Amino acid sequence: MFKNKVYLSIGSNIGDKESNIASSIAILGSYIEISKIKSSSFYKTEPLYNENQPSFLNIVIELETTFTAFQLLDKIREIEKMLGREEIRQKNHPRTIDIDIIIFKDSFINTPELQIPHPGALLRKFVLIPLAELASDEIFPKTNIKIVDLLEKCPDTSVVQKHIIDKKAWKN
């Protein structure tokens, strides 16, 4: 079966952020339809838009899947719910987990439920920096521009710093 290359942005700013992100990746990896998961470094990022909330931990993962974009969206919503994200929530407020589909193969989808490529990705360093770490020379869909070049042009001035993970905490 044909596999689609997908990039997801994952973030958390409530509770054990590292664990929330690791759990979401583990659940994604448990689906037979998903394989070859690669992760960027973890990045500590200041919140955009609503600055009155804790900082975020963000990553981008690359994966291959036989799911359609809408099937993957359904799985993502299930994972977010499992990890404590409220179904009815205010935009730009704190959350245990936030998973967005940034790129799904070379798909262009524009529905009220799903937009691919993600419309905010080009305006957010917390997406472009880890995405460039995984795929710097790839062309971002609809732009004909390399991801690394988009990062240079990104208007976002927020602070995005590599986050060092405490590996001792992960051994238990």
Side-chain angles (χ1 to χ4, degrees):
M1 183 131 202
F2 182 73
K3 293 198 174 193
N4 301 300
K5 187 188 255 186
V6 178
Y7 292 92
L8 303 178
S9 175
I10 305 175
S12 175
N13 76 335
I14 296 177
D16 186 338
K17 301 172 199 178
E18 290 176 11
S19 178
N20 294 339
I21 292 172
S23 295
S24 69
I25 296 170
I27 297 167
L28 285 163
S30 72
Y31 295 112
I32 194 165
E33 297 88 352
I34 294 177
S35 62
K36 297 185 180 176
I37 297 176
K38 294 182 201 166
S39 173
S40 71
S41 301
F42 282 66
Y43 290 88
K44 183 179 179 183
T45 63
E46 59 186 18
L48 296 178
Y49 315 116
N50 174 11
E51 296 174 8
N52 188 24
Q53 61 181 320
S55 64
F56 280 82
L57 202 56
N58 291 92
I59 65 163
V60 167
I61 62 170
E62 173 188 303
L63 57 84
E64 290 184 6
T65 186
T66 56
F67 283 138
T68 67
F70 286 95
Q71 288 171 328
L72 182 59
L73 179 62
D74 288 343
K75 297 300 180 193
I76 286 169
R77 287 182 174 157
E78 288 174 19
I79 292 167
E80 289 177 333
K81 188 175 179 181
M82 276 189 259
L83 296 176
R85 181 157 177 180
E86 296 175 21
E87 284 186 62
I88 299 170
R89 55 194 176 263
Q90 291 181 293
K91 192 168 176 64
N92 299 315
H93 276 69
R95 48 208 171 268
T96 55
I97 198 74
D98 184 32
I99 306 171
D100 290 323
I101 303 171
I102 303 302
I103 299 171
F104 191 97
K105 197 178 64 163
D106 51 4
S107 297
F108 301 120
I109 299 172
N110 190 7
T111 69
E113 188 176 18
L114 181 62
Q115 291 95 31
I116 296 177
H118 192 286
L122 303 180
L123 305 173
R124 298 173 178 161
K125 286 193 325 189
F126 71 83
V127 172
L128 288 174
I129 290 172
L131 183 60
E133 185 181 321
L134 293 174
S136 62
D137 289 331
E138 288 196 31
I139 303 294
F140 194 93
K142 282 186 153 176
T143 67
N144 205 24
I145 302 172
K146 288 182 180 180
I147 292 166
V148 69
D149 295 331
L150 288 169
L151 177 57
E152 286 181 22
K153 296 174 178 151
C154 182
D156 179 2
T157 58
S158 66
V159 176
V160 177
Q161 301 174 312
K162 255 190 189 171
H163 175 74
I164 307 302
I165 295 179
D166 179 3
K167 292 186 176 152
K168 286 182 227 159
W170 284 53
K171 287 185 179 175
N172 295 334

